[in-house]
Amino acid sequence: MADDPQRNFRSTYYEKVGFRGVEEKKSLEILLKDNPLDVEKLSTFSQRFPLPSMYRIHVWKVLLGILPPHSDSHALVRQYRVDQFEDVSGALTVMRFIHASTPQTEIYLRMFQLENHTLPRRTELRPPDAEDENFLAIARAMEEIVDDPVDCFWLVRCFINQFKHKFGDSIPHLPKSLEHFLSQEDVCLLSHLKASGALASLPYSLWFRRCFAGCLPESSLQRVWDKVISGSCKILVFVAVEILLSYKIMIMGMNQPDAVYHFLTNMPQENTDAIVTKAIDLWHKYCGTPMHSV
């Protein structure tokens, strides 16, 4: 039987936008029509399949609790979010913490600090510390993904709060997990990293505390964040493992930890989509499709 050109075209299109088949698209559309939305099923879908851009932000909002499961209240809740954004940013303007030329990401940071009672006195303002820099890196990446500043703030705020709440105790153990899985994939590379002293000085903060913000381009990054937002921080480990495997030849030629660190914090951006795809395959290989994997 001859191939159906129309069917082949559809399959190619859905593969390009993130679906491996038409049935996955139909399944997600059915899930998004439920009222109330089944958050657990959405989370499972996001872990099993990639989310295309046409649905991603809406699914993130639901999974992060920005929008409630009952879709008939989304418009009202959205207005509440806008009002709160304007109230908090307005208060910061009155207090002269922000002004017309303040970068949007800094506004998000000050809003986050005010809501968390960590806003310093104006007379005690200091350069951003490590935690602030992590926030700003994630905010800059989210700004490239989301156009609307209100949506951007809420996504950054809730993403960071969820990440700390769910995975805060797990983050310090991720470097050890990386070592374990790298030993399963390439013991020679692991031995070189240990012998050169580079294993202890890999850019763990960039990878595991910033969730690769500032390391991967947004087109690749959002696929990683799909998995983090839907319930797994272990995906971060497999992205790190796959980065090391992908640049093995170059890393094996480096004997100084500083050289390895500099390369990995300024890695080429050309093949990051392939790296993330392989990392997701590794994640499924070792973790299956966990609901609450850490």
Side-chain angles (χ1 to χ4, degrees):
M1 181 169 144
D3 289 340
D4 181 349
Q6 175 115 6
R7 179 184 179 125
N8 289 342
F9 170 80
R10 286 199 305 268
S11 299
T12 301
Y13 171 74
Y14 287 122
E15 179 79 27
K16 185 176 181 181
V17 298
F19 288 118
R20 293 170 189 159
V22 178
E23 292 307 314
E24 293 169 20
K25 176 179 181 290
K26 290 180 179 177
S27 297
L28 181 56
E29 288 177 342
I30 290 170
L31 285 176
L32 291 175
K33 288 178 181 177
D34 286 345
N35 189 17
L37 295 169
D38 191 320
V39 176
E40 187 171 335
K41 286 182 179 179
L42 279 177
S43 177
T44 301
F45 187 98
S46 184
Q47 292 200 22
R48 287 179 60 84
F49 308 113
L51 294 172
S53 57
M54 67 183 80
Y55 298 111
R56 174 171 282 120
I57 301 306
H58 184 71
V59 172
W60 283 6
K61 287 180 184 178
V62 173
L63 294 180
L64 290 172
I66 299 168
L67 292 176
H70 289 83
S71 55
D72 51 4
S73 63
H74 284 183
L76 180 61
V77 172
R78 161 69 183 174
Q79 188 56 52
Y80 288 156
R81 300 301 189 194
V82 172
D83 293 344
Q84 187 172 344
F85 178 91
E86 292 176 349
D87 288 345
V88 177
S89 59
L92 287 167
T93 302
V94 171
M95 292 187 291
R96 293 183 293 164
F97 274 91
I98 63 174
H99 44 77
S101 61
T102 302
Q104 199 69 50
T105 51
E106 185 180 332
I107 294 175
Y108 301 151
L109 174 61
R110 297 304 180 201
M111 291 174 67
F112 186 78
Q113 291 173 333
L114 181 60
E115 288 191 332
N116 287 278
H117 310 291
T118 59
L119 185 71
R121 296 175 182 269
R122 286 187 66 251
T123 56
E124 298 173 356
L125 287 176
R126 61 193 186 282
D129 59 18
E131 191 166 349
D132 293 341
E133 290 290 0
N134 292 341
F135 180 100
L136 290 168
I138 291 172
R140 284 190 290 268
M142 192 69 79
E143 210 174 25
E144 294 297 318
I145 299 171
V146 186
D147 293 329
D148 183 85
V150 176
D151 285 344
C152 188
F153 167 70
W154 282 103
L155 284 163
V156 172
R157 172 191 184 276
C158 294
F159 177 75
I160 289 175
N161 283 340
Q162 184 200 73
F163 188 75
K164 289 180 179 179
H165 176 73
K166 280 191 173 183
F167 309 126
D169 293 338
S170 302
I171 301 306
H173 304 291
L174 295 187
K176 203 65 182 176
S177 292
L178 183 151
E179 183 178 344
H180 168 72
F181 289 113
L182 187 58
S183 72
Q184 303 299 304
E185 293 295 314
D186 198 319
V187 69
C188 291
L189 177 56
L190 177 60
S191 296
H192 174 76
L193 289 170
K194 286 182 175 180
S196 65
L199 184 66
S201 59
L202 294 175
Y204 294 123
S205 180
L206 173 65
W207 291 349
F208 302 149
R209 295 194 180 275
R210 298 187 184 184
C211 300
F212 291 93
C215 177
L216 298 174
E218 285 65 37
S219 60
S220 303
L221 183 66
Q222 51 196 336
R223 296 171 59 208
V224 178
W225 286 3
D226 284 346
K227 309 306 179 189
V228 177
I229 291 171
S230 64
S232 175
C233 70
K234 189 66 73 65
I235 184 62
L236 302 175
V237 171
F238 293 108
V239 175
V241 168
E242 194 55 50
I243 287 173
L244 295 173
L245 293 174
S246 296
Y247 294 107
K248 173 182 177 178
I249 294 176
M250 298 192 70
I251 292 171
M252 292 289 282
M254 302 174 186
N255 294 310
Q256 297 298 322
D258 288 349
V260 175
Y261 180 88
H262 182 266
F263 173 77
L264 292 174
T265 54
N266 297 276
M267 54 179 272
Q269 304 286 287
E270 290 80 15
N271 64 336
T272 55
D273 283 345
I275 288 174
V276 170
T277 297
K278 292 176 183 177
I280 292 172
D281 289 343
L282 276 182
W283 178 66
H284 284 298
K285 172 184 173 181
Y286 287 106
C287 299
T289 307
M291 273 303 300
H292 302 291
S293 172
V294 297

